[in-house]
Amino acid sequence: MSGGANRVGDQVQQARDRVFTGRMAELGLFRSALSGEAKAPAVLYVHGPGGIGKSMLLRRFAAEARAAGREVVEVDGRLMEPTPEAFEKEAGAVLTDERAVLLVDTFERCQGLEGWLRDRFLVRLPADALVVVAGRQPPDAGWISDPGWADLLRTVALRNLAPEEATAFLRARGVPQGTRSALLAFTGGHPLALALAAAVAVGDSAGSAGWEPSRDAIATLLPRLIGEVPSPVHRRALEVCAHAYVTTETLLRAVLGDEAAPMFAWLRGLPFVESARHGLFPHDVVREVLEADLRWRDPEGFAELHGRLSRHLLEQIRSAPESGMLPAVGAFMFLYRTGRHMADYNSWRGGEVVSTACEPADHATVLDLVTEVEGPDSAAAARFWLDRQPEAFRVCRTTRDDEIVGFSAWLQLTEPHGEDVDPVVAAAWSHTRSTAALRDGEHLAMARFSLTSPRYPKISPVEDLHQWRGVAEVARAEGRVAWMYVAIRSGDFWRPYLTSLGLTTIGNRPRVGHLTYDLYTVDWRTQSVRAWAEQRTRLMLSGVPGVPQTPAVVSGRSAEYAVLSRPEFDTAVRDALRGLSRAEDLALNPLARSRLTAGPGAELADLLAESVDALRAERGGEKYHRAVAATYLHGAPTQEAVAARLGLPFSTYRRHLSVGIARVCDALWRREIYGTDAR
């Protein structure tokens, strides 16, 4: 072999250099640090999803560092034990070389070392050493909260390539010009997806301007990612894994039935599927391509799969223990990630923080955080509610050091307490009274405080837990929640997201101290959570060709419910009993648009007959059942004729009938307020 330039490794690097495009800002930052410019960082923390190009960028960094005469030490988190000893063995050479460059790739595989790396290892490096850490997760709050790292750390969030960069990427790989824009639209600028799709499209020598990712193109692309799929059941399991946040046997069983266990075992062994504490999840680009394939190939099948998973996860929210209700909501919301605004306002970075009960020892920290973020007047309102509804407060703690970095308060109010102390609650009560008052057994719910430490951005795992709590609380108390309010400090940031979820603002904007609040609200008596979820589904699927768009329905009925006061409700029950034999009258009865008839197969006539029949089970109820059943279920020309048929004095019959109707009204009212399991 004649010279270094002829080595295979050099040829590989030259080929990489020829097709490397974009990332100019990242390269500029690395070069300034490499040359030792003033105020250049000592540590670059590069993060982004799988397939976004972190490893390719680190290889370019390595080439630039070697060209500058620097010693390069490379560590791959996939190839070492995630222990301090193993890491130091791999990277220890940089501790004695002041010009060394340390490049750490796939750091998410050893994320547990982050605190040790920051506080124990990096502080021992020579002053002129340079470190680049690359992983899927952004740096934890410990970097941000430590002023010592303020000038030494620079965070670099890798995103999809910009359109001009992606175009250059495709040009460098020989993709015909006429095909590039369509290919860019298909991949969204994701580097790995671009590379794989380019390998397919480069054979399209015609380069048609109307090129679309055909069935053949996607069929060629998918095997490069997932290999051969043994059967349709295996493919469905993959599709579940791609659409869900994490996949468990329980989730698979909701779609695949008895095939769940073997399919879970198969998924677990795939090289592009990773295991986490709560289940399995695929590599990001595999998820994207599988989703794109299913949406394109079988849009109705995608809609059916989404519906099954949505219904299953909604039930999981209702049935999960309190410790699991917020993760259940996160998994549910993830199904809607392609909907408008959803991905912009949720991070889905699970595992960094957890929600726990607010103990008495936490109260001082909570009040300090309110004072810091919103001021003393808001803290006084928080203290008032802490004293009266301490169970309404939950704190967000970091999993690393158990630090409280946020809290939320979900108030449940049946009477207007606190109006003289908290203007936000007073505004909510004023709106409730003037719009549609509470009924017996209902309560007003309010996400009164949703505070996050200023160290965190607006979109963070802490904010995820705040907003997911509202969905969890409503789903688990469905039927008892009337008005729900969400108090947000005035501004436009959250407005697109909250309005996309079906919330509207009230006219009154209360002030607490120097802050003004917007109150977003929804009356949960007018729709079920399931109807709300189905509406979100329709909005998400509105851009999927081939999926028929239908009006909002729940079990064939309008998703809008009538909200009746108790007197109106009792009148409607009496009218329905009188019109029991006339289907057209029942269809016009307000009860046909109430929560009573929201469940599958919940026909009004059947509910009335069931409630009348249930009178027999009550103490002394047989006589009331006979009077009501004979009058309304069996038919008679007059009440006098019914009394005669029953062999009762007319006054006794009327008394039995009146009590029986009242008991039927009571039973149906309980069902209206508390749901189908009410007794």
Side-chain angles (χ1 to χ4, degrees):
M1 189 169 289
S2 59
N6 292 323
R7 291 180 301 181
V8 171
D10 293 332
Q11 296 174 20
V12 170
Q13 187 58 48
Q14 289 169 4
R16 288 170 175 165
D17 290 342
R18 283 196 300 271
V19 298
F20 186 91
T21 55
R23 309 305 190 200
M24 297 310 297
E26 292 82 359
L27 284 171
L29 181 60
F30 179 77
R31 289 164 182 164
S32 68
L34 194 64
S35 63
E37 293 181 8
K39 297 184 178 180
V43 176
L44 299 181
Y45 201 118
V46 180
H47 67 91
I52 204 67
K54 300 182 294 292
S55 297
M56 181 68 78
L57 182 62
L58 257 62
R59 284 195 288 266
R60 185 59 179 262
F61 285 171
E64 299 239 349
R66 292 189 178 104
R70 305 283 288 264
E71 181 69 23
V72 176
V73 178
E74 297 178 90
V75 175
D76 192 329
R78 294 170 298 185
L79 306 178
M80 54 165 278
E81 290 293 323
T83 65
E85 295 77 16
F87 189 96
E88 189 152 339
K89 182 179 179 180
E90 295 283 335
V94 300
L95 297 175
T96 58
D97 187 343
E98 64 181 12
R99 287 180 52 78
V101 175
L102 173 62
L103 304 176
V104 183
D105 198 5
T106 326
F107 188 60
E108 68 271 9
R109 293 296 182 90
C110 50
Q111 199 80 37
L113 298 178
E114 189 168 2
W116 171 85
L117 179 72
R118 178 184 63 243
D119 301 329
R120 300 292 184 86
F121 184 84
L122 296 181
V123 294
R124 295 154 54 198
L125 293 180
D128 292 332
L130 176 59
V131 177
V132 181
V133 178
R136 294 188 178 186
Q137 303 299 328
D140 68 24
W143 299 90
I144 302 169
S145 62
D146 188 342
W149 284 103
D151 296 328
L152 298 177
L153 173 75
R154 189 70 57 83
T155 300
V156 178
L158 283 191
R159 296 289 183 261
N160 288 354
L161 295 175
E164 61 275 10
E165 295 171 335
T167 300
F169 184 103
L170 297 174
R171 184 189 308 116
R173 282 162 173 76
V175 175
Q177 182 175 357
T179 308
R180 292 171 196 162
S181 60
L183 202 61
L184 177 58
F186 173 59
T187 62
H190 188 285
L192 181 54
L194 275 169
L196 294 170
V200 175
V202 72
D204 180 14
S205 57
S208 169
W211 184 91
E212 293 182 356
S214 65
R215 180 185 297 270
D216 291 339
I218 297 177
T220 304
L221 179 60
L222 272 174
R224 292 174 177 262
L225 295 173
I226 65 175
E228 184 177 352
V229 180
S231 74
V233 176
H234 289 79
R235 179 170 291 277
R236 197 57 164 173
L238 271 176
E239 291 163 352
V240 172
C241 193
H243 193 46
Y245 183 53
V246 291
T247 298
T248 62
E249 275 194 35
T250 302
L251 187 70
L252 283 175
R253 195 173 297 114
V255 179
L256 303 178
D258 294 340
E259 299 284 352
M263 290 302 99
F264 185 83
W266 176 73
L267 287 172
R268 195 173 190 177
L270 295 175
F272 52 82
V273 173
E274 301 184 25
S275 297
R277 186 159 59 96
H278 297 293
L280 307 176
F281 64 94
H283 190 282
D284 291 347
V285 73
V286 174
R287 187 192 293 279
E288 292 174 11
V289 174
L290 279 168
E291 285 268 276
D293 172 56
L294 180 58
R295 281 179 174 242
W296 172 84
R297 174 175 50 84
D298 185 8
E300 291 189 5
F302 174 79
E304 188 271 338
L305 173 64
H306 174 89
R308 281 201 187 192
L309 294 178
S310 175
R311 290 188 292 273
H312 171 78
L313 291 173
L314 186 57
E315 289 306 312
Q316 290 292 102
I317 296 170
R318 293 181 170 126
S319 61
E322 189 172 29
S323 61
M325 69 178 188
L326 297 190
V329 176
F332 171 78
M333 300 290 274
F334 188 78
L335 297 178
Y336 296 85
R337 63 192 178 277
T338 59
R340 189 179 182 189
H341 303 304
M342 190 64 71
D344 296 332
Y345 290 89
N346 290 269
S347 75
W348 288 292
R349 288 190 351 237
E352 294 184 30
V353 293
V354 294
S355 174
T356 64
C358 182
E359 304 295 343
D362 303 326
H363 289 190
T365 303
V366 164
L367 294 174
D368 287 345
L369 183 56
V370 184
T371 302
E372 178 185 6
V373 176
E374 296 192 346
D377 295 294
S378 189
R383 184 179 295 107
F384 175 86
W385 294 116
L386 266 172
D387 290 342
R388 284 155 183 81
Q389 290 195 28
E391 70 283 356
F393 287 72
R394 294 186 66 84
V395 295
C396 300
R397 301 178 184 273
T398 61
T399 54
R400 182 178 299 277
D401 53 20
D402 207 37
E403 179 189 3
I404 294 176
V405 291
F407 78 91
S408 63
W410 181 263
L411 304 179
Q412 298 183 49
L413 306 170
T414 56
E415 297 181 3
H417 295 309
E419 287 187 291
D420 56 336
V421 176
D422 191 344
V424 175
V425 169
W429 275 115
S430 176
H431 175 263
T432 292
R433 285 190 293 262
S434 64
T435 310
L438 301 187
R439 304 177 297 182
D440 290 343
E442 296 175 338
H443 65 261
L444 176 156
M446 176 182 284
R448 174 60 184 90
F449 298 96
S450 300
L451 266 68
T452 301
S453 168
R455 298 199 310 270
Y456 283 78
K458 286 185 176 181
I459 305 303
S460 73
V462 186
E463 290 292 345
D464 287 352
L465 296 184
H466 291 338
Q467 57 173 298
W468 295 351
R469 186 180 179 192
V471 177
E473 297 283 5
V474 169
R476 291 162 79 93
E478 186 169 12
R480 300 185 296 279
V481 179
W483 288 101
M484 181 192 78
Y485 297 89
V486 178
I488 300 288
R489 294 191 297 277
S490 288
D492 294 330
F493 180 80
W494 290 100
R495 187 179 303 276
Y497 179 60
L498 292 173
T499 54
S500 76
L501 295 180
L503 280 71
T504 58
T505 53
I506 69 172
N508 188 359
R509 301 173 69 213
R511 288 183 61 85
V512 178
H514 66 286
L515 295 177
T516 302
Y517 291 81
D518 290 322
L519 277 178
Y520 292 83
T521 189
V522 62
D523 186 348
W524 284 107
R525 296 169 297 187
T526 65
Q527 63 178 336
S528 68
V529 175
R530 181 173 176 178
W532 170 82
E534 290 179 350
Q535 176 66 7
R536 307 281 76 71
T537 294
R538 280 186 292 276
L539 292 173
M540 186 193 77
L541 296 177
S542 60
V544 179
V547 178
Q549 299 303 304
T550 57
V553 294
V554 181
S555 303
R557 298 173 178 82
S558 169
E560 295 294 326
Y561 296 159
V563 181
L564 304 174
S565 66
R566 182 59 195 267
E568 292 170 333
F569 185 89
D570 289 353
T571 298
V573 171
R574 289 182 168 87
D575 289 344
L577 286 170
R578 285 192 290 268
L580 197 54
S581 62
R582 299 185 296 276
E584 62 277 11
D585 288 352
L586 288 184
L588 297 175
N589 190 287
L591 297 181
R593 294 181 289 110
S594 72
R595 299 183 67 87
L596 284 176
T597 55
E603 297 295 338
L604 181 55
D606 295 337
L607 291 174
L608 291 166
E610 175 188 320
S611 298
V612 172
D613 193 57
L615 290 172
R616 295 179 180 182
E618 299 181 11
R619 177 176 296 181
E622 181 64 35
K623 57 190 176 184
Y624 305 128
H625 168 264
R626 292 177 64 232
V628 177
T631 304
Y632 298 116
L633 300 187
H634 307 316
T638 64
Q639 291 188 355
E640 288 80 359
V642 176
R645 180 189 302 171
L646 296 176
L648 295 174
F650 187 69
S651 60
T652 302
Y653 156 75
R654 287 297 303 269
R655 185 170 65 255
H656 290 178
L657 179 63
S658 177
V659 173
I661 292 174
R663 291 192 177 189
V664 169
C665 290
D666 287 343
L668 290 174
W669 179 256
R670 288 194 298 273
R671 184 163 178 161
E672 165 80 0
I673 299 299
Y674 298 108
T676 56
D677 293 332
R679 296 290 183 267

